[in-house]
Amino acid sequence: MSLSSLLVQLLNGLAGASSLFLVAAGLSLIFGVTRIVNFAHGSFYMVGIYIAYTLVERLGGVIGFWPALLLAAVAVGLIGAVVEVLLLRRIYHAPELFQLLATFALALVFKDLVLRLWGPEELLGPRAAGLEGSVQILGRRFPTYDLFLIVVGPAVLGLLWLLLTRTRWGTLVRAATQDRDMVAALGVNQAWLFTSVFALGAMLAGLGGALQLPREPANLEMDLHTIGAAFVVVVVGGMGSIPGAFVAALLIAEIKAICIWIGLVNIGGVEISFSKLTLVVEFLVMAAVLILRPWGLMGRAPAPSRHASAAESPLRLPSKAGQVATSAVLLLLVALPFVSGASSYTTVLAIDLLVAALFAVSLHFIMGPGGMHSFGHAAYFGLAAYGAALLVRKAGLPMELALALGPVVAAAFAVVFGWFAVRLSGVYLAMLTLAFAQIAWAIVYQWDSVTGGSNGVTGVWPAAWLSDKRVYYGLALVLTVAGTWLLRRILFSPFGYAMRAGRDSPLRADAIGIDVKRVQWVAFILAGTVAGVAGALFAFSKGSISPEGLHVGKSIDALVMVLLGGVQTLAGPVVGAVSFTWLHDTVARNTEYWRAMLGGIILVLVLLFPQGIAGYAQRLFQRGNPADGRTQG
């Protein structure tokens, strides 16, 4: 570990920080003005590098390389404008989480569109025309193009500062960030202001992707990786702060560079690989920043609201008609495996639906009534699954005991994670849950000697008396119904009313003696435990568990289920879980481009039913039966 090698790694970090800053700056602009948490922003980055690859091939030569990168960024900006006009403009008045669902669906469509146009193979672009060589720094060679990238970040930051502070458009953007309603009252065409901001944000992401063409191959996983890193940078820097995003991008990139430089270290006979920390270092930084400074490095502490949140219909016990319908559904579920002609595939799919429903119900418990949005709920699902699997394989415990102890493992982690998370609110709480989940995923993914690493834990099948899938289905049905019933009973207990009071008006709840943070912490633990039951059931139903069970993708699946069904209804998470899982299974088996089809279906559902499937059905029922409008099923 020499000084020259450290300097080279730090310079590499600066080069990587430039592209990351471009993506994060665009994301921060879009969120600041439109309040949309744009999950498709990573897709703009991915599309940018693919378009740049095609344009460089077509234009070719030294003259064509640089215009190709700029044209790719402009093309992505135009795509962003079209997306905003045709889709997002229609859902600005929908709840923010449904806007997130729409952009998630859009990301699925973009991924398959890129797959269709460019294929599944990685595409490596040519070296930068005119900057192919390298320079010598302290006896080591460093790419000239990377030196160019180091300059790009500060240059774009300066241009954005001039645009936002020295132009009328920038003044309107800053005003809209502070108070969108006031800007509209002044007669500003708010629609086109939003379009221009979204187009600029998309163009910055596209430019960030295009500039990476000579450094890394274009691939289909860039979108998810990039959006996660961009969210981290925006949150660490402070929501809406572009200078904060720049500082955060530099901080994270340089810490990664130092970890690579340190490499493998032997401490007291124990080898510690710092280079492996690069998988999760941004989430470690984000967790530390949010715990010490919840609004980010350069963000502003939000002023405490003295008003209650938007009014929602109070949750009430189901009417007699609802109880009859629920009983009928339960009878059908009990009879399902024994119905003549029911295949083993149907039974396996039914088990998956039950596990998904329980997982979604546990997330809804803290999202809807609790008002706490979690982007890392898969941590408890996956940790319980790993806990149960390892207790069988490593400790030799009976399957039944391991199934019971798996949720205890999830509860233990929920105690720790929840204690920190409930001290935040809004998007900061959601991002801290994501950080904890990704840290847990990285440990599981890299702890080969215990967790099996990327291969996971296999050979964890149910006990002999549960080997028949129909019997295991019965166990899954009992646990799913019991878990759902328990959470529903808690919602209508004094604790449940206290939880909803803390969601609707924390100041008023605190004034009447409710310890809001303690109530939220207990709710967090309960939700994590029930998610752990779903995870343990999943492990034994599949006979294995892999790191994907804890990954952010699993958390997003649960989030989509809850939003698709409807956050403000009790039946929403169940309806959403069944709909999403069934659609995913059916579409994936019938088309190669299942993501695009699934994303298209979700987009249609979001546009038609912005309150969710169950929420829409409830409104129809209430219109037809005004006397039953007080119920919420």
Side-chain angles (χ1 to χ4, degrees), residues 161-172 174:
W161 180 82
L162 290 173
L163 181 64
L164 294 174
T165 60
R166 295 293 186 268
T167 65
R168 181 177 182 274
W169 181 86
T171 302
L172 293 176
R174 288 185 289 116

Side-chain angles (χ1 to χ4, degrees), residues 344-400:
S344 58
Y345 171 78
T346 303
T347 305
V348 171
L349 178 59
I351 294 172
D352 291 343
L353 293 175
L354 290 173
V355 170
L358 186 58
F359 186 33
V361 164
S362 69
L363 177 58
H364 173 267
F365 181 74
I366 55 174
M367 273 187 63
M372 297 178 287
H373 307 318
S374 173
F375 289 172
H377 204 59
Y380 316 108
F381 181 93
L383 288 169
Y386 266 99
L390 292 174
L391 286 172
V392 169
R393 293 301 305 272
K394 301 288 185 179
L397 294 184
M399 172 263 174
E400 297 89 345

Side-chain angles (χ1 to χ4, degrees), residues 382 385-386 441 444 451 453-457 538 544-551:
Y386 266 99
W441 168 81
V444 166
T451 63
S454 59
N455 295 323
V457 182
F538 176 84
S544 63
I545 181 65
S546 65
E548 282 71 24
L550 292 86
H551 198 258

Side-chain angles (χ1 to χ4, degrees), residues 588-626:
R589 285 188 296 111
N590 289 284
T591 176
E592 178 183 359
Y593 303 107
W594 62 270
R595 295 182 192 86
M597 184 173 290
L598 179 62
I601 293 172
I602 293 176
L603 282 175
V604 170
L605 292 175
V606 168
L607 293 174
L608 295 180
F609 315 123
Q611 66 273 52
I613 299 173
Y616 179 77
Q618 178 179 285
R619 287 195 177 186
L620 286 181
F621 181 76
Q622 290 176 357
R623 288 176 185 174
N625 300 273

Side-chain angles (χ1 to χ4, degrees), residues 75-387:
V76 174
L78 293 175
I79 293 172
V82 171
V83 166
E84 194 277 340
V85 171
L86 297 182
L87 173 63
L88 299 182
R89 189 175 290 184
R90 303 172 185 271
I91 59 173
Y92 278 135
H93 298 294
E96 290 180 3
L97 285 174
F98 282 97
Q99 298 169 356
L100 173 66
L101 179 60
T103 59
F104 166 76
L106 191 63
L108 293 178
V109 174
F110 271 123
K111 186 180 284 287
D112 268 2
L113 183 62
V114 169
L115 175 63
R116 175 68 180 84
L117 294 176
W118 284 280
E121 295 83 12
E122 292 186 345
L123 303 177
L124 182 61
R127 302 177 71 181
L131 298 177
E132 299 93 341
S134 61
V135 296
Q136 192 166 13
I137 301 177
L138 296 180
R140 292 179 178 267
R141 309 301 299 180
F142 188 78
T144 307
Y145 182 73
D146 284 7
L147 288 176
F148 164 76
L149 287 182
I150 293 173
V151 177
V152 168
V156 172
L157 175 63
L159 291 174
L160 287 175
W161 180 82
L162 290 173
L163 181 64
L164 294 174
T165 60
R166 295 293 186 268
T167 65
R168 181 177 182 274
W169 181 86
T171 302
L172 293 176
V173 169
R174 288 185 289 116
T177 302
Q178 298 296 324
D179 192 335
R180 292 183 296 173
D181 294 332
M182 181 60 69
V183 171
L186 293 174
V188 175
N189 190 330
Q190 200 175 38
W192 288 111
L193 179 65
F194 283 14
T195 302
S196 61
V197 167
F198 200 91
L200 176 59
M203 186 174 71
L204 287 172
L207 179 61
L211 288 173
Q212 287 297 103
L213 183 63
R215 300 186 80 225
E216 63 176 312
N219 62 82
L220 294 172
E221 302 304 320
M222 301 181 81
D223 55 347
L224 187 59
H225 174 76
T226 302
I227 190 59
F231 273 136
V232 169
V233 168
V234 170
V235 171
V236 170
M239 298 295 290
S241 172
I242 292 178
F246 182 75
V247 172
L250 289 179
L251 175 66
I252 291 172
E254 292 305 317
I255 292 177
K256 281 187 173 184
I258 292 173
C259 288
I260 295 173
W261 176 70
I262 294 174
L264 191 66
V265 176
N266 191 303
I267 302 177
V270 179
E271 290 188 343
I272 300 177
S273 176
F274 279 82
S275 59
K276 288 185 177 181
L277 287 177
T278 55
L279 285 175
V280 73
V281 69
E282 60 261 42
F283 297 102
L284 290 169
V285 171
M286 182 170 69
V289 169
L290 289 180
I291 290 171
L292 298 175
R293 187 178 171 84
W295 48 89
L297 295 174
M298 300 182 70
R300 295 181 179 179
S305 175
R306 298 185 179 273
H307 303 284
S309 62
E312 293 183 6
S313 301
L315 297 176
R316 299 184 185 275
L317 292 170
S319 63
K320 290 184 178 180
Q323 293 175 0
V324 171
T326 301
S327 300
V329 170
L330 287 176
L331 288 175
L332 288 174
L333 290 174
V334 170
L336 177 64
F338 307 100
V339 174
S340 176
S343 64
S344 58
Y345 171 78
T346 303
T347 305
V348 171
L349 178 59
I351 294 172
D352 291 343
L353 293 175
L354 290 173
V355 170
L358 186 58
F359 186 33
V361 164
S362 69
L363 177 58
H364 173 267
F365 181 74
I366 55 174
M367 273 187 63
M372 297 178 287
H373 307 318
S374 173
F375 289 172
H377 204 59
Y380 316 108
F381 181 93
L383 288 169
Y386 266 99

